[in-house]
Amino acid sequence: YSQLTSSNVSHVSYHYNPEVSNYHYGPHHPMKPFRLLLTDHLVSAYKLHEVMDLYQTTPASKEQMMKFHSPEYIEFLQKVSPDTVNRATASREFNIGDDCPIFDGLYQYGSMYSGSSLDATSKLISGISDISINWSGGLHHAKKYGPSGFCYINDIVLSILELLKYYPRVLYIDIDLHHGDGVQEAFYTTDRVMTCSFHKYNGTFFPATGNFNEVGIGRGKNFAVNVPLRDGIEDENYVKLFKSIMEPIISSFQPSVIVQQCGADSLGCDRLGCFNLNIKAHGACVKYIQSFGLPMLVLGGGGYTPRNVSRLWCHETAVLNNVELPNGKLPDTLPYKSFFGPDFSMHPNLGDRIENRNTKKYLESVRIRILEQVRFLNG
Ligand code: ZL4
Ligand code: CA
Ligand code: ZN
């Protein structure tokens, strides 16, 4: 299981099963798997498919999903259907409801996006890829015994468990708008996985966890990092804070592999969002992590304005391939081009919708507090 280090050009692989974009959470539900089809069309219109290894992925098996999830929960998902579900029981026993409804093909959907993450993971482990991408993954809220926040199977936990068989230390970075609670909880007591989430936090915003004082327990103490942010954070402050926190974490933790969740709901103008980030700033965080030259699993996550989700993940696919996309209008051959109006460009301004409630003083206190925690990593 050697890693490719001799070449200065990374081998990038893209893991996708087009079927995943056909599932529907239901009318008006903000999570739209169709955004994955839009992303794939953009990636293809820019000919990025030609510079990466493409893999059509296979669904995860029941046994693979039970490496984290309880057999009762997986069996429930396998058996349940919209017509036969007892909603009262499903809600009480398995947290089924408006956020996590029962829809047609739910089990296949969960095994499909998790299978993509596991396929991407095995290409890293075998050394065939230096960077593996699965935009359909990154569903960070799912718990051992049930779904949470639009997430049914925790593909991230499954992937990290697999990575831990071959790598001593895994760094997990989560730039989704929401706290990566499911991943944090799964590895809260180990010093082999460091979890680090940037998110909106005010004590009530979903999932209501992720304050500074959640740092891990036992051997895992100080190996969970939380960066609680207020509404309206802007490009420059976010990227500066991100780099100033991730640099010392990477130099002291010395991860052997990095998993990055790239949730697109931290962009400005997101249907559920409250930050002001532009696509280039979000992408700069991915580029910065890539610059450390470690094997990297890159995953999607949230993102509720499909045209911007697909723009972001196409831009990040380009970044990871060291490709500069042409400025100007989107390619004429792009299917669903009408979704991208009125500007028809890759970089609409998403940056000034919400008042920035993160003062310089607040962000400085966040940085100091986290650097304090990271100092404890070395004894
Ligand atoms: C919706 O319109 O804050 C679900 C969810 C369904 C359609 C019809 C039902 C209408 C917004 C959200 C009633 C919906 C009430 N429909 C939903 C406490 C809540 C209880 C459920 O990006 N109601 C729960 C979850 C968050 C809560 C965010 C982020 C995932 C990720 C990774 C998950 N849940 C209040 C909300 C709608 C809906 C409209 C919704 N749910 C917005 N925020 C939530 O981190 C993928
Ligand atoms: Ca996050
Ligand atoms: Zn989110």
Side-chain angles (χ1 to χ4, degrees), residues 140 174-180 197-199:
H140 57 180
D174 185 317
I175 58 173
D176 188 286
L177 172 74
H178 298 92
H179 178 223
S197 177
F198 294 72
H199 44 264

Side-chain angles (χ1 to χ4, degrees), residues 184-193 195 212-226 373:
Q184 171 176 294
E185 188 180 300
F187 300 108
Y188 211 51
T189 61
T190 177
D191 55 2
R192 291 186 58 203
V193 180
T195 61
F212 301 112
N213 56 359
E214 297 173 20
V215 296
I217 53 178
R219 293 183 81 91
K221 184 158 182 234
N222 292 319
F223 290 85
V225 172
N226 284 295
Q373 178 189 342

Side-chain angles (χ1 to χ4, degrees), residues 150-170:
F150 318 163
C151 307
Y152 297 86
I153 302 294
N154 200 316
D155 62 297
I156 309 171
V157 172
L158 295 177
S159 299
I160 293 175
L161 288 172
E162 206 49 37
L163 291 169
L164 286 172
K165 295 184 189 166
Y166 304 93
Y167 296 95
R169 286 175 306 285
V170 180

Side-chain angles (χ1 to χ4, degrees), residues 140-141 150 176-179 205 261 263-266 272 301-304:
H140 57 180
H141 299 304
F150 318 163
D176 188 286
L177 172 74
H178 298 92
H179 178 223
F205 187 72
Q261 196 269 20
D265 47 6
S266 43
L272 299 186
Y304 306 101

Side-chain angles (χ1 to χ4, degrees), residues 18 24 39 79 110 117 125-126 165 181 186-187 189 199 237 260 264 280 304 309 314 320 346 366 369 371:
H24 285 273
T39 303
K79 283 189 197 132
S117 291
I125 290 171
S126 61
K165 295 184 189 166
D181 59 344
F187 300 108
T189 61
H199 44 264
N237 284 337
Q260 187 164 18
K280 283 180 182 164
Y304 306 101
V309 177
C314 175
L320 292 164
M346 266 304 268
V366 168
R369 180 145 183 176
L371 296 189

